[in-house]
Amino acid sequence: MKKRVTMKEIAERLNLSVNAVSLALNDRAGVSEETRRLVLNAAEEMGYLDQSTKYTAAYSNKNICILLEDRFFKDMQFYGRILLGLEEAAKKAGYDLFINSFEKNQEIPACVEQQKVSGLIVVGKIDEEYLKRLKSYSIPVLLLDHESVETPTDCVMTNNVAGAYKLTKYLLDKGYRKIGFFGDLSYTPSIRERFWGYQEAMQQYLKFPSFEEGIAYIRRYSALKNVEDAVIHQDASSLADYYQSLEDKPEALICSNDKMAILMCKALSQCGLKVPEEIGVVGFDDIELSNMVNPRITTMRVDKVLMGKKAMERLLKCMERPKEKVEKLVLDVQLIERDSVREFI
């Protein structure tokens, strides 16, 4: 039989009185917030909380789970800033974060299964069935940078459609007409939304005889599948091959994000083309690296830290008022003009 952990053992480990440990575990006045956190964390590590649902409930009131798919950990220039915003807002409200990743097997995080958190934020894409399983644990769930089409769930999104629309119109106003889109439409909903915004602007401003002719025109200059793998592996040669395989060569390219745009500039160089002298390139997100490369990338700025803060604020509200109606918050984006586009004549 597993030995039971006592308050005295927790007190000895932290060099505190048993009374202070008791006050902290029972969420009573008489100890500082810092001491309370130390006691709860030690109790969790030592297995004390598993012995009593009463103390587990007190512990869960101080913790929030952040969950994102493994592949998104490779995109810390974007998601890292979001996590920073989440952490700042959580700390301000007196919460700690448990950050977990999941793969395609989609296991439920132990902190959720054992009811050691009082809220959950999923960052990025998530499968509908997995979302339903998470929500079955009856804790508030919020989606960040993703929206469920089947399961009503609070979410915080970027205005991808309007951003890509504005970016496309910006290129059209510069004189470009043969504009393509590079992005894997099956990779994330955000990429699909950016494609829809681009497509809408092309249809509206170029005034094709029919919608179908507009689609055909767009696809001649675009690569809409498999290209994200080249970005993940930083394979400029493969991206160059995708460009060379286009039915017609574009005058400008809208890339699904800044990482794609930066690698695209390298790929175009391998094809003997200069950016922006011979072809324009724009990105999306405004990661720090986009302002450090040559040429500096024209892009749409997403306030990633603000996204994290707004998501945490909304989750905390849902935790306080669990019966509130589901809400979708969409944050606007800002055009940032740099060096990868020129006036096209």
Side-chain angles (χ1 to χ4, degrees), residues 13-15 43 64 66 69 94 109 115 129 156 164 182 276 293:
R13 174 172 172 171
L14 299 175
N15 196 25
I64 291 170
I66 307 298
E69 197 174 340
Q115 298 182 323
E129 290 306 312
V156 175
F182 260 60
V293 293

Side-chain angles (χ1 to χ4, degrees), residues 260-322:
M260 172 77 75
I262 291 166
L263 191 66
M264 178 59 69
C265 289
K266 185 176 180 180
L268 291 169
S269 178
Q270 292 182 5
C271 297
L273 295 172
K274 294 181 179 180
V275 179
E277 291 85 353
E278 297 173 279
I279 182 170
V281 174
V282 297
F284 210 111
D285 292 336
D286 191 30
I287 62 174
E288 291 180 9
L289 193 58
S290 66
N291 195 35
M292 299 166 64
V293 293
N294 184 23
R296 299 180 307 138
I297 305 298
T298 292
T299 185
M300 273 289 174
R301 175 171 292 163
V302 174
D303 193 331
K304 298 165 279 294
V305 174
L306 181 63
M307 280 188 76
K309 289 180 177 180
K310 290 293 185 182
M312 183 59 66
E313 289 169 5
R314 178 59 190 169
L315 179 70
L316 294 174
K317 189 174 182 180
C318 293
M319 288 159 54
E320 293 171 4
R321 304 174 188 174

Side-chain angles (χ1 to χ4, degrees), residues 10 46 77 137 220 247 265 303:
I10 298 172
M46 296 170 71
Q77 293 182 67
Y137 285 83
R220 288 208 302 270
E247 185 178 341
C265 289
D303 193 331

Side-chain angles (χ1 to χ4, degrees), residues 98-132:
F98 288 163
I99 299 177
N100 292 264
S101 66
F102 67 91
E103 298 181 1
K104 292 184 178 179
N105 58 9
Q106 300 175 338
E107 293 182 357
I108 300 296
C111 60
V112 173
E113 203 165 37
Q114 297 168 12
Q115 298 182 323
K116 292 178 179 175
V117 293
S118 50
L120 170 65
I121 293 178
V122 182
V123 183
K125 186 179 179 182
I126 183 173
D127 178 78
E128 285 290 340
E129 290 306 312
Y130 187 34
L131 175 60
K132 290 174 185 176

